[in-house]
Amino acid sequence: MNKAANSPLIIENFDLYAPKLVSKEEFFSAGHRACQGCAEALAIRLMCKALGRDTVITNATGCMEVISSLYPTTAWRLPWIHVAFPCAAAVGSGVEAGLTALRRKGKIPDKRVKSVAIGGDGGTMDIGFQALSGAMERGHDMLYVCFDNEAYMNTGIQRSSGTPFMASTTTSPAGKKIPGNQVWKKNVTEIMVAHNIPYVATASPAYPIDFMNKVKKAREVKGPAYIHCLVTCPTGWRSPSETSIQLGRLAYETGVFPIYEVEDGKYRFTMPVPEKRRPVADYMKTQGRFRHVTPDQIKVIQERIDIEWEMLKIKIESSKSHAEIREQVKS
């Protein structure tokens, strides 16, 4: 039987058995105060399942800190530290160094406990960027996950450097003066690749198995790892709560948010590549933050997405791992 004929059977079996591949143990409990349809809360839940025990979470100020830890309750069933907006990477690297010292002195069992720092796009790409770059440059054995909902959502939907071009926010409101945000989104994923760290990936909770596999892989990395996770926000994106997963998939199918990984310097798509990408208008039309954008402005955005997609394809087709390059240099 050929591969095409097998595909429906594979999909059917996947739907049947996928829940059995995921741990039923919950480390991010129900009852938190996230908005209905919050993809970030779902992503946190998936991340914690993939990390499992022996994990310490460092959480910068942001949506997930606000909705999960209102005194005297907590949704966290893992050791968890709340830190100020710019400090997640700094404290996460300190946790890793502290655990290493305690193991060396024999004060805690000699087993690997993963330090994981998390932050939103503002806490990662703007306010905490210096700490993130420093932690990656120093080579700490830690994972940093950026949950990017593309604005400062917990303080009033102000634009960040993760906000898309033309999106309307409270600090870049679309109107007579400007047609929304006037700056293109910062590509932090590529900046992390430039740090030459062992593992960098993009992910989305709309593709949960792919996301969890990347978290598991990053957990096993000896050294710094970074995952950039796009999470839809019904409140800030002005989108219906029930479309969060649909929007996450449209972001990939249109090329707005490519899903890939860079392991030891080698690029690789981790999801089936669409034979023909859907137009970016399909992604934008269901979000109120883009309702003011004209067809001509959509063409500008489409051209930018097309160029960035082709640039990524070139990297995937031509990149080599550091190990392959070392062998090439030796020969």
Side-chain angles (χ1 to χ4, degrees), residues 94-134:
V95 168
E96 184 268 330
L99 290 170
T100 301
L102 290 173
R103 279 198 300 273
R104 186 177 64 246
K105 295 176 181 177
K107 293 187 176 181
I108 61 173
D110 186 18
K111 63 178 180 180
R112 191 161 184 249
V113 178
K114 192 70 176 181
S115 175
V116 179
I118 62 175
D121 48 291
T124 302
M125 302 163 75
D126 297 335
I127 301 172
F129 183 75
Q130 180 188 19
L132 172 62
S133 179

Side-chain angles (χ1 to χ4, degrees), residues 296-309:
D296 285 343
Q297 291 167 338
I298 290 178
K299 286 182 181 177
V300 174
I301 296 172
Q302 181 72 63
E303 182 181 3
R304 172 87 174 207
I305 297 297
D306 291 344
I307 291 172
E308 292 184 347
W309 181 268

Side-chain angles (χ1 to χ4, degrees), residues 73-247:
T73 65
T74 179
W76 296 91
R77 293 174 177 168
L78 292 171
W80 177 86
I81 307 170
H82 167 233
V83 297
F85 239 138
C87 303
V91 175
S93 59
V95 168
E96 184 268 330
L99 290 170
T100 301
L102 290 173
R103 279 198 300 273
R104 186 177 64 246
K105 295 176 181 177
K107 293 187 176 181
I108 61 173
D110 186 18
K111 63 178 180 180
R112 191 161 184 249
V113 178
K114 192 70 176 181
S115 175
V116 179
I118 62 175
D121 48 291
T124 302
M125 302 163 75
D126 297 335
I127 301 172
F129 183 75
Q130 180 188 19
L132 172 62
S133 179
M136 298 295 105
E137 181 265 335
R138 292 191 300 273
H140 286 278
D141 183 11
M142 63 177 289
L143 166 63
Y144 191 101
V145 185
C146 172
F147 293 102
D148 180 7
N149 58 17
E150 301 190 322
Y152 291 86
M153 297 304 184
N154 72 306
T155 54
I157 319 175
Q158 298 94 346
R159 74 158 294 277
S160 74
S161 55
T163 302
F165 188 56
M166 293 285 180
S168 182
T169 71
T170 54
T171 50
S172 58
K176 294 180 180 178
K177 296 290 184 182
I178 58 170
N181 181 39
Q182 294 298 285
V183 183
W184 293 99
K185 184 183 180 83
K186 184 191 290 182
N187 194 336
V188 174
T189 305
E190 289 301 306
I191 296 174
M192 290 298 105
V193 173
H195 281 66
N196 284 323
I197 59 178
Y199 188 73
V200 178
T202 62
S204 165
Y207 300 99
I209 300 299
D210 175 78
F211 175 48
M212 295 178 74
N213 285 340
K214 286 171 176 170
V215 172
K216 290 176 182 177
K217 183 180 285 188
R219 194 188 197 290
E220 298 305 314
V221 165
K222 305 292 186 185
Y226 176 86
I227 295 178
H228 197 96
C229 184
L230 181 70
V231 287
T232 51
C233 174
T235 303
W237 293 21
R238 311 300 188 200
S239 57
S241 298
E242 67 272 18
T243 62
S244 289
I245 299 301
Q246 177 190 356
L247 280 174

